[in-house]
Amino acid sequence: MSAQPLSFDASHPPHGHPDNVSPSTQPTDKPSTAAHPPPSKPDPTTQDAPQRRFASSSTTSATEPKYKELASLKINLRSALRQFPDFPSPGILFEDILPIFARPSLHESLIHALEIQTIRSFPSTQPGNDNASHTSQEPPPQSSHEAENGKGVATSSSSSVDVIVGLEARGFLFGPSLALRLGAGFVPVRKQGKLPGPTKTASYQKEYGEDFFQLQADAIKPGQKVLVVDDIIATGGSAAAAGSLVRQLGGTLLGYIFILELDFLNGRAQLDAPVHTLLATQEKQT
């Protein structure tokens, strides 16, 4: 786990985004091992999902099935996670997402859930590309993403994302698949010295010192809309460093999506773009 990055553009100080000043959606009286909530206190991210709506009332009837589908996907994904106490060090409750990738059906559920979450959080602003509000009997118009990807590749035209940036290493497990589903490019953020050619560098603080992330200097074009993804947000330092790199290259940072969040570390306060988590968060053990 890491802390706030040390290198930011002067025009983008490392302040918290207004949307990120509080923990995601968890009640304060939830048990400490909230990664598997008891039946008496259901997972709020699955319980409330069908009631949430886009800002536009015109899309309500078209998007309602997607909300219900997302809630069902979250339940299946949550049940697949495993927990390992005191790993990798005492006091840490490790969330193991690898069982999701061991079963093709769960792997597909994860990518589809992330796709719905992305479209819901970062809908397309291009005329004719909002499939969520497309209610006619005719198929929605083909997007530029779909045209670029050609036949045989199922992509979404409802998201405004141009590039998915995945953090080393578990962001690589699902980032490329999500990018392909959205018709976006994928760019890896790697530790210093792992990428060839010219690179941009951002530093961030870890428990035992400073570390560095890098992006290839030509990986993101100025003006491209970028979404940063990783498995878990802890203190937020590594994610904030990735966001800093996006801005160094001239990209527009739309926000961040994580599978899980450790609320008690308040990592989202370090991020100056919207943060979304797919599943219920984990609070500090008492």
Side-chain angles (χ1 to χ4, degrees), residues 241-261:
S244 174
L245 288 170
V246 169
R247 290 193 168 112
Q248 284 187 49
L249 296 181
T252 298
L253 180 62
L254 295 177
Y256 303 82
I257 286 185
F258 304 92
I259 299 176
L260 290 164
E261 178 177 6

Side-chain angles (χ1 to χ4, degrees), residues 8-111:
F8 271 83
D9 287 344
S11 60
H12 296 281
H15 59 284
H17 189 275
D19 290 348
N20 303 333
V21 295
S22 62
S24 56
T25 57
Q26 307 309 299
T28 56
D29 62 344
K30 193 169 61 173
S32 59
T33 56
H36 292 281
S40 61
K41 296 184 178 181
D43 185 340
T45 64
T46 60
Q47 184 183 37
D48 300 336
Q51 281 70 49
R52 300 191 186 107
R53 293 292 182 267
F54 286 114
S56 172
S57 60
S58 64
T59 66
T60 299
S61 60
T63 58
E64 186 171 357
K66 286 295 184 183
Y67 287 110
K68 293 181 178 178
E69 182 183 14
L70 181 58
S72 176
L73 291 169
K74 287 180 176 182
I75 292 172
N76 291 336
L77 292 168
R78 164 57 63 192
S79 66
L81 298 182
R82 297 185 301 184
Q83 294 180 319
F84 291 92
D86 299 321
F87 181 85
S89 58
I92 301 296
L93 182 62
F94 185 84
E95 298 277 4
D96 184 13
I97 67 169
L98 295 181
I100 291 175
F101 300 95
R103 292 174 53 188
S105 60
L106 286 173
H107 191 172
E108 164 60 29
S109 293
L110 173 64
I111 301 305

Side-chain angles (χ1 to χ4, degrees), residues 5-9 189-195 197-204 210-217 240-246 248-249:
L6 302 181
S7 59
F8 271 83
D9 287 344
V189 168
R190 300 216 60 187
K191 296 292 183 68
Q192 188 174 36
K194 297 293 184 68
L195 292 170
T199 58
K200 294 291 185 179
T201 303
S203 61
Y204 63 98
E210 191 177 33
D211 209 344
F212 300 89
F213 265 162
Q214 290 185 322
L215 276 178
Q216 289 180 311
S244 174
L245 288 170
V246 169
Q248 284 187 49
L249 296 181

